[in-house]
Amino acid sequence: MVGPWPAAPYTFRALRKTFGSMWLRCDSCRRFAPLRLPPGYLDRDYRTVSFSCSVCGGVAEHTVTHPHTETGMDDYREDVREQPERHPKAHARILGADRQPGRASEFVPPADRHKFGRR
Ligand SMILES: [Zn+2]
């Protein structure tokens, strides 16, 4: 018997239900790590969450495929640290200390702009 779909659209919960494991990947460092979400993140819209690399502070790509199954990524090393610290550069970005006009980090999806009074 099939029950109702247990997850709202565009949530990490829906992705996990569809694809199973997820990873974060840094293409600069050529590293990856299993995605471990903080409490409460399973029901967040994955399109509005960004990730950063704990080593270089750059963008970490969220992916539903293991990098070793992708062409040209078999040299990516897995980060096995249990609790990696956020990179200071990424921390400053989150706090807005590096804020400049027109940055992609300030992008608000069109559907959410009314919440912030933006156009
Ligand atoms: Zn990196």
Side-chain angles (χ1 to χ4, degrees):
M1 188 171 143
V2 176
W5 180 248
Y10 304 113
T11 58
F12 285 106
R13 187 182 303 279
L15 280 183
R16 178 161 290 169
K17 185 78 177 162
T18 304
F19 297 104
S21 299
M22 296 179 275
W23 289 270
L24 295 176
R25 186 184 81 213
C26 178
D27 294 327
S28 298
C29 300
R30 300 191 76 78
R31 300 176 327 105
F32 69 95
L35 175 64
R36 292 191 210 101
L37 290 168
Y41 268 62
L42 270 181
D43 293 310
R44 287 191 61 174
D45 186 334
Y46 64 81
R47 299 171 301 174
T48 64
V49 178
S50 60
F51 298 94
S52 61
C53 175
S54 61
V55 172
C56 73
V59 172
E61 299 289 339
H62 168 229
T63 175
V64 296
T65 58
H66 191 286
H68 289 174
T69 63
E70 300 290 327
T71 304
M73 293 184 178
D74 50 353
D75 65 322
Y76 276 52
R77 291 170 292 119
E78 182 169 4
D79 188 338
V80 294
R81 293 174 296 163
E82 286 293 321
Q83 300 253 315
E85 295 281 321
R86 180 173 285 141
H87 191 279
K89 205 165 85 179
H91 194 70
R93 188 169 56 237
I94 291 167
L95 294 177
D98 69 335
R99 189 154 289 181
Q100 295 166 12
R103 290 185 57 91
S105 61
E106 295 180 355
F107 175 76
V108 177
D112 292 340
R113 288 184 186 159
H114 69 280
K115 296 177 188 171
F116 304 103
R118 295 188 188 173
R119 287 256 142 212

